[in-house]
Amino acid sequence: MKSFLRPVARRYRNWMDRWESELCFRATDRVVRPFDFGLEWSKAWPCSIVVPLNGSHPIEYVTRLNECAVRNSG
């Protein structure tokens, strides 16, 4: 990043942090739900053809899909 943009970027980052915190703590009707995901969305990934599910644990499978995507990017 150009050195003359750093102060602007820092001010913007601070402003965004303050704004997000304000929005977060303003809401009083939040419902905490468990983190839950399914793998049906991963069927459209190009790497899902190369990396089959084969009964893998979901976290292990998503990790392998991401590794494949990074390896084949660029």
Side-chain angles (χ1 to χ4, degrees):
M1 179 183 298
K2 301 282 186 192
S3 62
F4 63 87
L5 290 178
R6 286 190 183 126
V8 174
R10 188 175 19 248
R11 278 195 310 256
Y12 181 72
R13 183 182 62 234
N14 291 339
W15 177 78
M16 285 300 293
D17 285 342
R18 280 193 312 273
W19 177 245
E20 288 293 327
S21 293
E22 181 182 333
L23 290 177
C24 175
F25 294 114
R26 184 185 301 177
T28 58
D29 59 346
R30 292 184 179 256
V31 177
V32 178
R33 293 187 173 91
F35 178 72
D36 191 20
F37 62 91
L39 295 176
E40 58 275 351
W41 54 268
S42 67
K43 292 176 184 173
W45 282 23
C47 287
S48 66
I49 296 168
V50 180
V51 181
L53 181 58
N54 288 344
S56 300
H57 187 273
I59 293 174
E60 179 185 316
Y61 179 63
V62 171
T63 301
R64 288 194 348 250
L65 278 176
N66 281 297
E67 288 170 348
C68 177
V70 169
R71 226 182 4 260
N72 294 308
S73 67

